[in-house]
Amino acid sequence: MSKMDTKDFVIGAVVGSLIGAATAVLFAPKSGKEIRTDINERATDVKEKGTEYTQAAKEKTEEWSQVAKEKTDDLTHQAKYQWERVADKATGVSEKASKMGEELAEDVREIMETEKDEGKKLAKQVVNEIEETKERLKEDVESYKENKDEN
């Protein structure tokens, strides 16, 4: 969910609350002074609710951002480790291959292909986990919106 969607939601909630409160107050059989007092009270309530929603949205965004950052950091670390492992193996095997001739060089190519495939698998896993985290965050935001709308 983008910042614009959250902002639009909060603005919509505040505006809708203001319109509803103003309508209820204006159609109530009260004096002008009582109506102004009610409008001020309701505007204060709406402002407080808007502040609460904004704060809750900020907290959730920070929380999800931290989760995504931690997940990304973890997956980046795994990818770097895998790459270093592949690089170390390739370097060691290449040195041996130059000493042992063509037959060993063929073995090196096979090992490098295998490690390359493993690297591709890990890259796909990283992308999949990022996408899954994104979807879970999107679902959490939608659930949060629905819960707030129901309350």
Side-chain angles (χ1 to χ4, degrees), residues 10-88:
V10 171
I11 290 171
V14 170
V15 170
S17 297
L18 283 172
I19 291 171
T23 302
V25 168
L26 292 174
F27 284 103
K30 294 183 180 181
S31 71
K33 185 175 183 177
E34 289 174 330
I35 289 175
R36 286 190 299 276
T37 302
D38 285 350
I39 289 173
N40 285 334
E41 288 174 4
R42 302 241 174 144
T44 302
D45 291 344
V46 168
K47 180 181 175 185
E48 290 172 2
K49 281 287 187 192
T51 303
E52 288 176 24
Y53 287 145
T54 301
Q55 186 61 32
K58 284 180 183 178
E59 289 172 5
K60 277 294 185 185
T61 300
E62 289 172 11
E63 181 181 316
W64 295 325
S65 178
Q66 184 62 30
V67 168
K69 182 184 180 309
E70 289 171 3
K71 194 63 124 167
T72 301
D73 289 346
D74 183 44
L75 295 173
T76 300
H77 176 72
Q78 289 178 18
K80 284 181 182 179
Y81 172 75
Q82 182 72 15
W83 178 254
E84 289 170 0
R85 200 178 101 196
V86 169
D88 289 345

Side-chain angles (χ1 to χ4, degrees), residues 74-113:
D74 183 44
L75 295 173
T76 300
H77 176 72
Q78 289 178 18
K80 284 181 182 179
Y81 172 75
Q82 182 72 15
W83 178 254
E84 289 170 0
R85 200 178 101 196
V86 169
D88 289 345
K89 283 185 178 184
T91 300
V93 174
S94 292
E95 290 171 0
K96 289 179 184 177
S98 64
K99 293 178 185 176
M100 300 178 88
E102 196 60 32
E103 183 178 303
L104 189 54
E106 182 61 31
D107 291 342
V108 170
R109 283 187 213 101
E110 290 176 14
I111 290 172
M112 289 178 73
E113 278 299 315

